[in-house]
Amino acid sequence: MSMMSRNRSSIGMGTPSFLDLKKQASFFFKEKLKTARLALTDVTPLQLMTEEATDGESCGPNTQTLGSISKAAFEFEDYLQIVNVLHKRLAKFDQRNWRMAYNSLIVVEHLLTHGPESVSDEFQGDKDVISQMQTFQQIDEKGFNWGLSVRRKSEKVLKLLEKGDLLKEERKRARELSRGIHGFGSFNRKSSKNDVLLESSAYRKCNSNFTKYNEDDKEINTMVSPNVTGH
């Protein structure tokens, strides 16, 4: 068998590519770094989860992660850890670090509708930077209009922060949904710190380059020509 045939055979058998190996090495390094931070610093599993949920990677927080964060927010010490991370992420918003702020908005929105009522007061001081996101423009190399997603998300969060009818309706809807889930026994057990670590590691395994997090984004976000670049 020739060298070319063997190479083709290896590819057909699913031999990991260099990119796959690079991703695996990166994930392994991050897990080791996370373990070291837990062992050598005062960082908590919840802080790590919140940091990872709002980092600069394409894959943002999933439903399970959002649920864990919002449930933890009802504990005072945990609440302080969560909002501290979110305030720092939002404060760093600019053209380069927009993903951190956008992912933070996803978490803030979920906390506003599923977390303690104090969240609506907590983020009043962040309204200026959230307002700046309403003019954000960004289209990725595949033609996905991230700028539109950021603008719509910031608009939604600002409306929720007005503490008007929209916030009341969204919180009511969340309570009704939660009662329905409770009926199936899905949330009858409080998450432990080990659960937080497992969920934090599991949610990172996302292969989508532009995962959308709610029905509004699915409806209003459009694909444009890949030849268009971000501003």
Side-chain angles (χ1 to χ4, degrees):
M1 182 183 294
S2 66
M3 181 67 70
M4 184 177 293
S5 298
R6 284 198 296 270
N7 289 340
R8 288 175 179 173
S9 177
S10 296
I11 294 173
M13 294 174 63
T15 302
S17 67
F18 174 76
L19 182 59
D20 291 332
L21 293 173
K22 186 177 180 180
K23 288 180 179 179
Q24 292 174 12
S26 176
F27 178 79
F28 178 78
F29 175 76
K30 288 180 180 178
E31 291 301 301
K32 288 295 184 182
L33 181 60
K34 182 166 62 178
T35 301
R37 287 187 65 193
L38 287 170
L40 303 175
T41 70
D42 294 331
V43 69
T44 67
L46 181 61
Q47 283 176 291
L48 283 178
M49 172 182 276
T50 308
E51 288 176 3
E52 290 185 349
T54 58
D55 65 14
E57 297 185 7
S58 298
C59 182
N62 65 12
T63 303
Q64 184 179 19
T65 301
L66 291 172
S68 296
I69 292 174
S70 63
K71 284 188 290 181
F74 285 96
E75 300 292 334
F76 181 68
E77 292 297 328
D78 291 341
Y79 173 86
L80 293 178
Q81 293 174 16
I82 293 167
V83 299
N84 184 51
V85 172
L86 295 175
H87 285 312
K88 290 180 178 178
R89 295 295 204 206
L90 290 171
K92 293 181 179 179
F93 170 72
D94 57 26
Q95 188 72 24
R96 184 177 180 180
N97 297 309
W98 65 271
R99 285 190 186 276
M100 291 184 180
Y102 175 61
N103 288 339
S104 296
L105 280 185
I106 295 172
V107 178
V108 171
E109 179 187 8
H110 194 82
L111 286 173
L112 284 165
T113 57
H114 294 74
E117 293 183 1
S118 58
V119 173
S120 59
D121 292 321
E122 179 70 41
F123 289 93
Q124 292 297 317
D126 298 281
K127 290 172 69 173
D128 287 344
V129 69
I130 297 174
S131 296
Q132 294 175 25
M133 298 182 198
Q134 291 186 296
T135 60
F136 181 71
Q137 303 285 335
Q138 178 71 35
I139 297 174
D140 69 14
E141 66 279 359
K142 293 190 176 183
F144 187 77
N145 195 340
W146 280 107
L148 182 58
S149 293
V150 173
R151 295 194 299 272
R152 298 295 293 187
K153 184 65 66 179
S154 61
E155 180 182 352
K156 176 73 174 295
V157 171
L158 286 173
K159 287 182 178 179
L160 290 172
L161 287 173
E162 292 175 359
K163 299 189 284 187
D165 291 338
L166 178 62
L167 180 59
K168 294 177 182 178
E169 293 169 2
E170 292 290 336
R171 289 185 66 83
K172 180 181 178 182
R173 185 187 307 173
R175 287 195 301 270
E176 292 173 349
L177 179 61
S178 180
R179 291 193 191 102
I181 295 176
H182 271 292
F184 291 96
S186 298
F187 286 86
N188 290 336
R189 179 178 59 86
K190 185 175 180 180
S191 296
S192 67
K193 290 188 176 182
N194 287 334
D195 294 331
V196 171
L197 276 175
L198 289 173
E199 291 171 9
S200 176
S201 298
Y203 103 89
R204 305 305 304 162
K205 299 176 182 178
C206 174
N207 295 320
S208 172
N209 286 322
F210 40 85
T211 304
K212 293 179 280 293
Y213 304 96
N214 56 42
E215 293 302 319
D216 292 338
D217 282 347
K218 289 180 182 178
E219 292 175 2
I220 56 93
N221 216 326
T222 57
M223 297 298 292
V224 299
S225 172
N227 294 326
V228 182
T229 58
H231 299 290

